[in-house]
Amino acid sequence: METLVRLILLPPLLMAAFNGMMGLFMPSWRKQEKLIGTLALIAVAIPFGVTVMLFLGYQHGAPQVVPFFHWMTAGDLSVAFSYRIDELSLLMTLIVTGVGSLIHLYSIGYMHGDSGYWRFFPYLNLFIFAMLNLVLAENLIVLFLGWEGVGLCSYLLIGFWYTDLKNSAAANKAFIVNRIGDFAFLIALFLIFKTVTDNIAGPFGFDFATLLAPETLALFDGPIGFWIVLLMFIGATGKSAQIPLFVWLPDAMAGPTPVSALIHAATMVTSGLYLLSRLSEMVLLAPAAMGVIAIVGAITAIMAASVAMTQNDIKKVLAYSTVSQLGFMFMAAGVGAFFVAIFHVMTHAFFKACLFLGSGSVIHSMHHVEHELEHKGIIPSHHGGPDTPLDSEATQNTLRHNPLPYDGHFDAQDMRTMGGLKKYMPATRWTFLISTLAIAGIPPLAGFFSKDEILFFAFKSGMDGNVLSLAVWVIGLITALMTAVYMTRAYLLTFEGTPRWPAAMDVHPHESQWTMTLPLWILAALAAGAGLLGLAPVVAELFGTESWIHHWLGAAYGGPVAEAAFEYKPSHATEWILLGVGSIIAAAGVAIAWVGFRFGARGLDADRRFFKMMGWLYAPASRKWGWDELYNATFVRAVVDGARNVFAPFDKNVVDGGVNGLGRGVRGFASGLRGIQTGGVQTYALAIVLGVVLVVGLVMLG
């Protein structure tokens, strides 16, 4: 087992070091794009193959711990560097390495020709290694190491094109916001350590076997458990982008699209859900904290969905969609359905990765359109400057023939310049459509089953007497309808109708190469069929089977994930009605966008009508409900102004002043001494005489 765990963890790490060092010290290596990309892909495919082998041979209910070495000892703290193989870690490793492999394959084509190609793949490999540490860790300290590792790698990848200051700012924002959540996580670790070591003798290493033992869990039953779970959740709001720490995730679009797919679908944003699910037995001891989790998840889901409806950048729609879907997952965790949260993590990984990679395929093609339009002088070069002599002529041509449907430069990511792409990009179109219907919740695609289970458990918790859960259920239904509307709008504005870019008769986009379309087809197939792994009980019973993921993860069946117990037992009729309600809402959302507004046929006219119907909600939603402005007014400006008005003067006058003053003093003293060294013999003779007189005088005076 130790060898197999090494084969999962080491290839990404070693290949990150190899490709990085080779590119750093051997510039000719940087031109070997196919070799660099292939080696990086193999480094993730090997862990996936090994995990599949482990998964197929795993004995259900028999977790295995693989210790590698003793890490640290200090007082009662004794931490081992060890990993855990069980149902939850295996499933998460399959998602991370499986989707990660497809994203690596896609990146070989997407990043072709980029000057930073040789840096990109080591960063991706390192990200996968950090995420594997997080999901395979046997204790909270190793998990925290992976937690921080993905934070560092996200900083490197979001700011990959660091020469653009906007990208650097987005990377800094992600890094700083996540540190706030990490601080809460650390305080929770301190509270756990103090609580355990104050009551149980012997060393404690944060290992899950000890932490989740009944005698240890009994220590967390009360206020201390509430605060620990709440602090853990605050940590999760950073990594998994929930209110109030979600603001970094939409800005993470600054990185290359494969990075967005990796972060948004399979890895970093799922960390918070993984943490709560791993500690589900502890979380269930704090029902008040669970109420906070459910409410925050519900508010985040509907708030982000409202913003997604107003976005014109195709990647921004998907980014806010991710925040919204993460809200659904936290709703599940908040009502005690942790296995359902992980189920939605899995299905979301498939359709969201497909959507992001599909948007990347569209953007890749629209960039070619943009370059061709620039070359023909139809639009001004976005580079500007003296090297674009056709700019003035191009501007005139643009105004005369094909004005853009908005002010500003041509934007390859803006859906207002797209339309009709299904004719030129059939593979991207079909896979995007399948994933759109999946996330919208159309049965029997994957998103229908996982989202319906979340709503079902919220309803069940509400009928069990928890009024908050009923509110969460209602918000979930409204958000599900909004999801279907904004995702269908994104598909229709991009692929249906007539082209809206300038000179559409002469300039055509094209389908992406096979390394980019193959991952799309695989992910679309998973988005279509993965829901069968989590059939609703009433559906499973109809077909004489069971919910695989419930039996695989559920503590009641020997798995590692606990769940809340409910006294309310819905009848079969109620379950069928709830399934029907979910289906109707999803179908209604798609129909509103497709038939009601006809986004595909009417294009931007439908958009204007849609925004008019949103009324007073449109303006604040399009401004992201003012979250950035709020943070700027309260925290960012205060810190910047404080630094400018207090720390900068202190640094200038006290720190620099002290150092500079000392320097000036030494220089003045040296200048004085320099006056003595005149080179005149008489002066030196006088100095000797005075010295002799001084010494003799001191001797005589005793």
Side-chain angles (χ1 to χ4, degrees):
M1 181 59 76
E2 185 176 324
T3 302
L4 295 177
V5 173
R6 287 183 196 275
L7 282 173
I8 294 174
L9 285 162
L10 290 182
L13 177 65
L14 295 177
M15 197 51 66
F18 177 77
N19 271 337
M21 299 295 278
M22 289 290 285
L24 192 63
F25 294 109
M26 190 183 292
S28 61
W29 178 260
R30 302 177 185 180
K31 298 178 182 176
Q32 306 298 323
E33 287 192 355
K34 287 187 179 177
L35 185 56
I36 292 171
T38 304
L39 289 174
L41 169 61
I42 292 172
V44 184
I46 289 174
F48 176 68
V50 173
T51 310
V52 169
M53 191 173 67
L54 278 173
F55 178 80
L56 294 176
Y58 185 76
Q59 297 295 321
H60 189 51
Q64 296 190 43
V65 176
V66 182
F68 279 96
F69 57 89
H70 193 80
W71 187 6
M72 63 178 91
T73 299
D76 290 333
L77 179 67
S78 179
V79 180
F81 213 100
S82 53
Y83 296 96
R84 182 184 186 89
I85 300 295
D86 66 5
E87 293 87 347
L88 182 58
S89 62
L90 278 176
L91 184 62
M92 289 298 296
T93 304
L94 278 176
I95 296 170
V96 171
T97 56
V99 177
S101 297
L102 295 173
I103 291 173
H104 274 68
L105 174 62
Y106 178 94
S107 302
I108 292 174
Y110 187 85
M111 295 302 290
H112 170 64
D114 192 286
S115 59
Y117 191 97
W118 68 277
R119 285 188 295 116
F120 182 75
F121 283 95
Y123 290 169
L124 275 190
N125 279 168
L126 199 60
F127 193 103
I128 294 290
F129 170 72
M131 192 64 200
L132 289 175
N133 267 278
L134 196 157
V135 299
L136 288 170
E138 159 54 8
N139 58 61
L140 282 174
I141 305 302
V142 177
L143 187 151
F144 189 72
L145 189 69
W147 186 277
E148 289 300 304
V150 294
L152 170 64
C153 294
S154 69
Y155 170 78
L156 296 173
L157 287 166
I158 294 169
F160 180 73
W161 290 313
Y162 58 87
T163 53
D164 187 332
L165 290 180
K166 285 185 178 178
N167 298 343
S168 298
N172 288 337
K173 189 175 183 180
F175 191 79
I176 293 168
V177 170
N178 271 284
R179 296 292 75 73
I180 298 170
D182 295 350
F183 183 64
F185 191 168
L186 275 175
I187 296 176
L189 291 180
F190 297 151
L191 286 176
I192 290 173
F193 183 75
K194 180 167 176 50
T195 304
V196 174
T197 54
D198 281 355
N199 292 277
I200 298 178
F204 175 57
F206 290 94
D207 59 287
F208 294 123
T210 304
L211 189 60
L212 300 176
E215 59 272 20
T216 314
L217 286 175
L219 303 174
F220 302 115
D221 192 6
I224 189 66
F226 167 80
W227 287 110
I228 289 172
V229 172
L230 191 64
L231 287 166
M232 286 285 186
F233 172 61
I234 294 173
T237 60
K239 281 288 182 290
S240 297
Q242 296 294 286
I243 290 174
L245 300 180
F246 75 96
V247 290
W248 68 272
L249 192 58
D251 287 13
M253 298 298 96
T257 301
V259 172
S260 307
L262 192 62
I263 292 177
H264 283 244
T267 55
M268 183 169 167
V269 299
T270 65
S271 303
L273 272 305
Y274 172 77
L275 177 67
L276 294 182
S277 299
R278 174 61 75 189
L279 300 176
S280 52
E281 291 180 71
M282 182 190 292
V283 177
L284 286 171
L285 296 174
M290 289 176 64
V292 174
I293 294 170
I295 289 295
V296 170
I299 295 174
T300 303
I302 195 167
M303 181 275 301
S306 68
V307 179
M309 298 180 88
T310 66
Q311 299 299 301
N312 293 313
D313 185 317
I314 187 170
K315 284 180 69 177
K316 285 290 179 68
V317 175
L318 299 179
Y320 282 101
S321 169
T322 298
V323 177
S324 181
Q325 296 303 306
L326 288 167
F328 269 104
M329 298 171 203
F330 277 99
M331 286 161 57
V335 298
F338 298 96
F339 81 91
V340 180
I342 295 297
F343 182 31
H344 201 53
V345 164
M346 181 182 72
T347 60
H348 180 262
F350 300 146
F351 50 70
K352 187 51 64 70
C354 185
L355 289 167
F356 262 115
L357 297 184
S359 74
S361 179
V362 167
I363 294 166
H364 196 258
S365 189
M366 291 304 292
H367 271 304
H368 284 286
V369 170
E370 181 181 13
H371 294 155
E372 196 166 340
L373 292 174
E374 288 175 1
H375 179 72
K376 290 176 179 288
I378 295 174
I379 62 171
S381 168
H382 68 285
H383 298 297
D387 296 332
T388 55
L390 294 177
D391 272 5
S392 58
E393 180 186 345
T395 303
Q396 293 170 10
N397 285 340
T398 301
L399 294 174
R400 190 165 59 244
H401 298 297
N402 295 292
L404 293 172
Y406 54 85
D407 295 331
H409 291 293
F410 183 95
D411 186 350
Q413 297 184 193
D414 197 314
M415 294 184 296
R416 290 173 294 183
T417 63
M418 301 177 188
L421 289 182
K422 68 177 183 182
K423 177 181 177 183
Y424 308 102
M425 309 182 70
T428 304
R429 175 264 184 126
W430 281 114
T431 53
F432 199 96
L433 177 59
I434 292 169
S435 295
T436 296
L437 297 178
I439 194 174
I442 297 295
L445 304 178
F448 166 73
F449 289 107
S450 56
K451 199 180 297 180
D452 182 78
E453 278 291 271
I454 293 172
L455 296 172
F456 173 69
F457 272 87
F459 176 80
K460 199 158 73 164
S461 174
M463 295 302 290
D464 218 37
N466 192 335
V467 179
L468 283 178
S469 294
L470 275 182
V472 167
W473 176 64
V474 172
I475 294 174
L477 289 175
I478 297 170
T479 308
L481 178 69
M482 295 166 71
T483 304
V485 173
Y486 72 69
M487 282 308 307
T488 309
R489 168 181 173 262
Y491 164 78
L492 293 172
L493 287 180
T494 304
F495 293 99
E496 300 289 341
T498 55
R500 293 186 290 275
W501 61 87
M505 294 292 290
D506 303 320
V507 180
H508 302 149
H510 60 79
E511 184 57 278
S512 301
Q513 57 182 282
W514 73 269
T515 58
M516 295 170 68
T517 55
L518 179 61
L520 294 179
W521 282 115
I522 296 172
L523 288 167
L526 291 169
L532 300 178
L533 299 176
L535 291 174
V538 69
V539 178
E541 187 177 312
L542 184 68
F543 291 99
T545 182
E546 60 192 22
S547 169
W548 174 84
I549 198 159
H550 194 183
H551 284 69
W552 178 255
L553 293 177
Y557 306 98
V561 178
E563 61 185 283
F566 300 103
E567 293 183 5
Y568 171 72
K569 305 295 180 188
S571 65
H572 281 196
T574 305
E575 291 188 46
W576 280 115
I577 290 172
L578 292 175
L579 280 170
V581 169
S583 306
I584 291 169
I585 283 177
V590 173
I592 288 171
W594 210 306
V595 181
F597 287 93
R598 294 191 294 149
F599 283 106
R602 300 181 60 203
L604 301 183
D605 287 339
D607 231 14
R608 282 187 279 271
R609 181 184 166 210
F610 180 63
F611 294 151
K612 190 176 179 182
M613 285 194 66
M614 287 184 69
W616 60 271
L617 289 174
Y618 174 72
S622 64
R623 291 198 298 269
K624 309 162 197 172
W625 295 101
W627 281 97
D628 281 336
E629 289 79 2
L630 175 66
Y631 284 139
N632 285 334
T634 53
F635 299 108
V636 178
R637 194 172 299 164
V639 171
V640 172
D641 289 348
R644 183 179 294 127
N645 298 325
V646 178
F647 293 111
F650 178 82
D651 181 60
K652 181 180 178 181
N653 299 320
V654 178
V655 179
D656 288 353
V659 173
N660 292 335
L662 181 62
R664 282 194 295 269
V666 171
R667 190 166 55 188
F669 182 67
S671 297
L673 290 177
R674 191 167 57 219
I676 300 173
Q677 294 180 330
T678 61
V681 177
Q682 294 89 344
T683 306
Y684 296 150
L686 177 61
I688 292 172
V689 170
L690 291 175
V692 170
V693 170
L694 179 65
V695 171
V696 171
L698 290 174
V699 171
M700 291 182 69
L701 290 173

